[in-house]
Amino acid sequence: HAKFSIALLLVMTFTHTGESQDKTRATVPPNLIFELLALNRDIPVAARPKYLSPTDLVASPDGSQLFIAEQTAKRIAVISTATNTVTQKIQLPNEVTGLAVNSDGTLLYATCSSELWPSGIVCEVSVSGGKVVRQIAVGHSARSPVLSPDGSVLYVCNTFDNDISVVDVAGGRETKRIAVVREPFIARITNDGSVLVVANSLPNEKATDTLNISCKISLIQTATGTITANIPLTIGSHSVFGLTISPDGAYAFATHLIGMFNLPAIIITNGWIHTNNVAVIDIAGKKLLNDLTLDYSEQGAANPWGIACTDDGAFLCIAHSGSNELSIIDMPKLINEAKSTEYLSRKFSILYPNTIRRRVPVKGKAPRALTIIGDKVYTAGYFSDSVEVFDISLSTRTSSAQIALGEPLPMTSERKGEYRFYDASLCLQGWQSCHSCHPFARPDAMNWILQGGNNTPKNAKSMLYSWWTPPTSWAGRRRNAYESIRSGIQAELFLQPDEKLAVDLDTFFMKMKPVPSPHLEKGQLSESARRGREIYYSNKVDCKLCHPAPLFTDNVSRDAGFADPFDANRNWVTPHLIEAWRTAPYNHLGSHDKLEDCLKQSTHSNAGRLSAGEFNDLMEYVLSL
């Protein structure tokens, strides 16, 4: 096990400090290896039980086996679909974020990456041997492996490198990278292997670009490795987490949200703040065919995630992570509706009749993963310990079977808080969850007009370290995270906050940790960033005055020189800089899509004193935090 080897290496470092064997033994704490493995989440402890967190499902080509990526358990579970039982568990060196299987079902390709160890690898796994036979280095926060139909090429989404790894399977090495738009989360390939479709999960515009801000679907011609189109979805689209392609390769279907950021968030009904949608992409035409809401007028279908279609193209199935549901949709009828000249993103009646779509409750908490075998669809809740089986039919009302992945573990307060962050049952009519505006507890790249104050647009903030950097709002009206959590439930989810639930959310916020930056080199500052660190703490610039370590903010309100046409206020709470590499757009208005432009405009940075080289080094340091 790779991380166990690291633990042993650290122990060896300790043991070479003594002059004799007896002294060496005395210098090594007896619980050192245990603590190191607990820190790396390789063994369960009371504070961090070993939850499974199923995050991806893939079937063997003959449908006899189902492979489940148990993300936080760092392993793959193998299920026999004949007996609906787990037959095998395969341990991997890091968290499993996605799976692909070869054409004869003998090899799995698992992407591995975690918030602790984000440098991605692909593990080639022998199904019969139950072990990793080869590892291939890829990018930061690797996920969603996709095999070409002939099995010769593997494509991997490197979420925070904003690119796609192209891997030569026979040679076992990455051959190139293809830059995409922003945070590619999932990819799929047409059955003929000619087009790779990539879902970029967040918009890349300035938040003030209200006529264009949207997510993009990238189409890549696999023969040349070139992008032929970046297709914008509906304005306000974000959180594109699900993607599938019709069997004939004509259409791609992408699940996502649409934020009504141009409306004051004063009511929740009728999709006033968010709608939950599926976009239909015409692949050959390289265009958005239509965008259909999955909601009803008085019942949201929050956080659509996994999506797949049957081999015959008869049905489309969607897992709703927020509302804990499964949508079963007549796909030909949906396509016919999508061909309508009418824009359908807010037509709540379009999928209402059961002749087109059935909404089925899912017992598993927060179903993200979904796959289809024949006339059965399998789902797994990220916060559950089982897989559910459903018959694919418009008459289906409940699951037909449940498959236990292991003994259920009681949730800690942190785990409960994390689950509730994704839970739309906390919202009136189930329209959205906390995750809807703060995907993975970070920003959605949009401005919002919230209740209270003077009702002017403000850029969504990351939840990271919000507990430790009060006040939590740009204007400082919410004094701390404790107040924001309870106010948020009432003002943005439109329900009275339950104190026990709010305490669990408190714990989740307290325990959040940053992801190491993709600008780091093997976990360390690059040479440029080290030079930038010297500049940061020098008298050439004033960065350290407003952004002092360790949290890189002094929590003080000040005028940093960012003009706001909507708000007469000039003073805004200084944000921290940790994870600034992933939180664009910047400042309280989101009027800068690049951090360097924001730094140049700030009246406090004195960036004009620096040479071009010094400025680049400073930026490299800040982007490494």
Side-chain angles (χ1 to χ4, degrees):
H1 194 289
K3 303 307 182 297
F4 184 75
S5 299
I6 292 173
L8 290 178
L9 179 62
L10 290 171
V11 171
M12 290 171 65
T13 302
F14 272 88
T15 59
H16 281 82
T17 59
E19 295 179 3
S20 68
Q21 191 174 35
D22 289 339
K23 286 185 178 181
T24 296
R25 288 173 180 167
T27 62
V28 181
N31 61 340
L32 177 61
I33 293 180
F34 178 89
E35 290 181 356
L36 288 170
L37 292 176
L39 180 66
N40 193 55
R41 305 174 191 173
D42 288 314
I43 57 174
V45 294
R48 285 192 178 274
K50 203 161 189 176
Y51 298 113
L52 303 183
S53 311
T55 195
D56 195 15
L57 303 177
V58 66
S60 62
D62 64 1
S64 65
Q65 291 179 305
L66 185 65
F67 306 105
I68 300 95
E70 297 180 345
Q71 182 170 335
T72 51
K74 302 182 181 179
R75 67 190 182 197
I76 300 168
V78 183
I79 287 176
S80 165
T81 56
T83 62
N84 281 352
T85 57
V86 175
T87 60
Q88 193 178 13
K89 295 271 189 175
I90 304 171
Q91 198 68 40
L92 271 70
N94 203 353
E95 293 189 5
V96 193
T97 57
L99 295 173
V101 61
N102 70 348
S103 59
D104 63 7
T106 59
L107 293 173
L108 288 169
Y109 294 90
T111 47
C112 293
S113 180
S114 68
E115 292 186 351
L116 286 174
W117 304 87
S119 296
I121 57 173
V122 174
C123 291
E124 187 180 71
V125 179
S126 166
V127 175
S128 61
K131 62 181 180 180
V132 176
V133 295
R134 192 166 52 161
Q135 295 185 23
I136 304 165
V138 283
H140 193 289
S141 300
R143 59 177 304 107
S144 187
V146 176
L147 265 175
S148 61
D150 64 4
S152 64
V153 180
L154 185 76
Y155 301 93
V156 174
C157 292
N158 302 314
T159 306
F160 297 123
D161 282 333
N162 299 317
D163 59 25
I164 306 298
S165 287
V166 181
V167 175
D168 171 23
V169 174
R173 64 185 183 89
E174 179 187 80
T175 59
K176 67 183 294 186
R177 297 276 185 101
I178 303 171
V180 287
V181 182
R182 182 179 184 186
E183 295 189 19
F185 193 84
I186 189 168
R188 292 291 183 258
I189 197 167
T190 54
N191 282 338
D192 64 3
S194 63
V195 180
L196 183 74
V197 183
V198 179
N200 296 279
S201 60
L202 284 184
N204 65 323
E205 291 88 0
K206 299 173 183 178
T208 50
D209 188 1
T210 56
L211 296 180
N212 295 293
I213 187 167
S214 65
C215 285
K216 316 299 184 295
I217 302 295
S218 298
L219 303 184
I220 299 175
Q221 186 181 65
T222 57
T224 60
T226 56
I227 293 179
T228 60
N230 285 314
I231 303 167
L233 300 183
T234 305
I235 291 173
S237 55
H238 66 94
S239 300
V240 189
F241 296 142
L243 185 68
T244 193
I245 298 176
S246 60
D248 60 6
Y251 305 104
F253 305 88
T255 58
H256 65 98
L257 278 64
I258 297 178
M260 307 302 164
F261 59 87
N262 54 341
L263 298 174
I266 55 175
I267 57 176
I268 191 69
T269 55
N270 288 287
W272 184 278
I273 298 177
H274 270 118
T275 59
N276 301 277
N277 286 42
V278 57
V280 184
I281 305 295
D282 177 352
I283 295 176
K286 299 181 174 62
K287 65 180 182 179
L288 174 65
L289 186 65
N290 216 318
D291 205 344
L292 294 84
T293 182
L294 297 163
D295 308 302
Y296 298 158
S297 60
E298 295 183 353
Q299 183 186 8
N303 306 119
W305 206 293
I307 181 171
C309 57
T310 54
D311 290 339
D312 61 3
F315 289 96
L316 188 71
C317 298
I318 299 173
H320 297 264
S321 177
S323 55
N324 288 287
E325 294 177 285
L326 171 71
S327 282
I328 301 174
I329 304 171
D330 184 314
M331 196 165 89
K333 290 183 179 180
L334 180 139
I335 293 171
N336 284 336
E337 294 290 350
K339 291 178 179 177
S340 164
T341 56
E342 185 181 4
Y343 191 57
L344 301 175
S345 73
R346 293 187 59 80
K347 190 172 182 180
F348 298 113
S349 63
I350 198 68
L351 296 179
Y352 190 86
N354 289 329
T355 57
I356 297 180
R357 183 262 201 109
R358 169 73 72 175
R359 293 174 69 167
V360 185
V362 173
K363 297 182 180 70
K365 298 179 177 68
R368 301 178 184 179
L370 174 150
T371 197
I372 292 174
I373 302 176
D375 60 355
K376 305 284 186 185
V377 57
Y378 297 77
T379 69
Y382 186 83
F383 297 95
S384 298
D385 302 292
S386 63
V387 171
E388 285 178 77
V389 189
F390 297 83
D391 297 323
I392 301 177
S393 167
L394 293 182
S395 62
T396 295
R397 295 183 179 275
T398 188
S399 59
S400 57
Q402 283 190 287
I403 306 169
L405 296 174
E407 289 295 323
L409 295 175
M411 288 191 182
T412 62
S413 180
E414 178 186 359
R415 183 75 168 179
K416 289 177 185 175
E418 183 183 8
Y419 164 53
R420 291 302 194 177
F421 191 85
Y422 293 88
D423 183 11
S425 71
L426 305 186
C427 178
L428 180 67
Q429 297 182 354
W431 286 95
Q432 62 185 20
S433 64
C434 303
H435 166 75
S436 298
C437 291
H438 303 279
F440 303 107
R442 272 67 173 186
D444 62 4
M446 295 181 184
N447 287 338
W448 288 96
I449 305 171
L450 301 182
Q451 296 184 46
N454 54 3
N455 294 328
T456 60
K458 298 292 181 293
N459 191 21
K461 296 185 73 173
S462 172
M463 303 290 97
L464 177 66
Y465 289 153
S466 58
W467 191 267
W468 313 110
T469 55
T472 49
S473 61
W474 284 108
R477 291 189 178 94
R478 292 181 178 176
R479 294 171 295 178
N480 49 47
Y482 177 94
E483 184 177 293
S484 280
I485 288 168
R486 288 146 184 85
S487 297
I489 295 172
Q490 186 171 24
E492 277 83 58
L493 299 179
F494 296 84
L495 290 179
Q496 194 64 28
D498 173 83
E499 185 59 22
K500 184 177 180 181
L501 180 152
V503 167
D504 291 334
L505 284 167
D506 291 343
T507 308
F508 171 58
F509 276 45
M510 289 178 188
K511 300 282 188 177
M512 284 180 63
K513 295 290 188 294
V515 175
S517 169
H519 290 258
L520 297 173
E521 295 180 354
K522 297 182 178 179
Q524 303 296 318
L525 293 177
S526 66
E527 184 177 344
S528 173
R530 289 197 296 272
R531 292 194 300 268
R533 179 176 58 188
E534 296 300 318
I535 295 168
Y536 187 94
Y537 291 105
S538 73
N539 293 324
K540 289 185 176 182
V541 290
D542 295 332
C543 301
K544 65 178 183 290
L545 300 181
C546 302
H547 300 278
L551 293 177
F552 293 91
T553 177
D554 60 3
N555 302 320
V556 173
S557 295
R558 57 172 54 85
D559 180 359
F562 298 110
D564 187 342
F566 305 105
D567 200 324
N569 182 33
R570 300 286 298 180
N571 296 319
W572 308 103
V573 176
T574 302
H576 69 73
L577 298 179
I578 299 171
E579 275 196 357
W581 54 269
R582 71 181 285 189
T583 56
Y586 300 99
N587 74 47
H588 75 281
L589 196 56
S591 59
H592 291 80
D593 56 349
K594 294 182 174 59
L595 187 59
E596 52 264 38
D597 295 337
C598 192
L599 180 59
K600 287 176 182 176
Q601 184 175 328
S602 172
T603 55
H604 292 278
S605 69
N606 290 320
R609 299 178 182 178
L610 303 177
S611 68
E614 289 174 325
F615 182 82
N616 290 338
D617 289 339
L618 176 63
M619 285 305 309
E620 192 64 22
Y621 174 63
V622 173
L623 292 171
S624 299
L625 295 174

